[in-house]
Amino acid sequence: MMPKKKLTASGFAVGVLLRAVGDAAMAPARAEAEKHLTEWLEKVKARYIERVEGIPPEAAEECAEACYSLNCMTGTPGNYRPKPYAEWPEPEVAADDDMARWGATA
């Protein structure tokens, strides 16, 4: 049986430092991805508001999030992940397809 190794203070500090460096390095990419997603969702939401008479903004937002999950995610339950941006459909096209699929009309 292998003896348990104790985590030393210096080992912990190195781990914290490496995590901080990694987080700082990923910050610009994370910000860009969040910006791209926000813009895409806003365009889909606007399309729902434009095309579905009387839809409340909250419902349009929920529809946009569901449209994102349906069109921009891949994987299996419990292991979903975003598709590369190049594979995302145009927001307006995705919204129109989604509305047609569920029978939403203006």
Side-chain angles (χ1 to χ4, degrees):
M1 187 168 160
M2 299 278 300
K4 275 189 163 180
K5 290 187 176 185
K6 284 189 171 182
L7 179 63
T8 63
S10 62
F12 180 76
V14 168
V16 169
L17 179 62
L18 287 173
R19 175 65 187 250
V21 168
D23 286 349
M26 291 300 296
R30 232 179 250 124
E32 182 65 27
E34 190 170 314
K35 178 182 168 229
H36 188 80
L37 173 60
T38 302
E39 289 173 357
W40 196 91
L41 288 172
E42 285 301 317
K43 288 178 183 177
V44 171
K45 180 181 169 183
R47 187 63 161 209
Y48 268 93
I49 290 172
E50 172 189 313
R51 300 271 319 269
V52 180
E53 186 178 323
I55 189 170
E58 299 83 24
E61 191 169 323
E62 287 181 23
C63 290
E65 289 173 6
C67 187
Y68 166 75
S69 295
L70 185 65
N71 292 287
C72 304
M73 299 290 281
T74 187
T76 57
N79 190 24
Y80 290 112
R81 60 194 176 286
K83 292 179 182 177
Y85 297 141
E87 295 179 19
W88 288 21
E90 289 299 315
E92 294 81 7
V93 173
D96 289 346
D97 289 350
D98 202 39
M99 285 184 264
R101 183 180 299 115
W102 303 112
T105 57

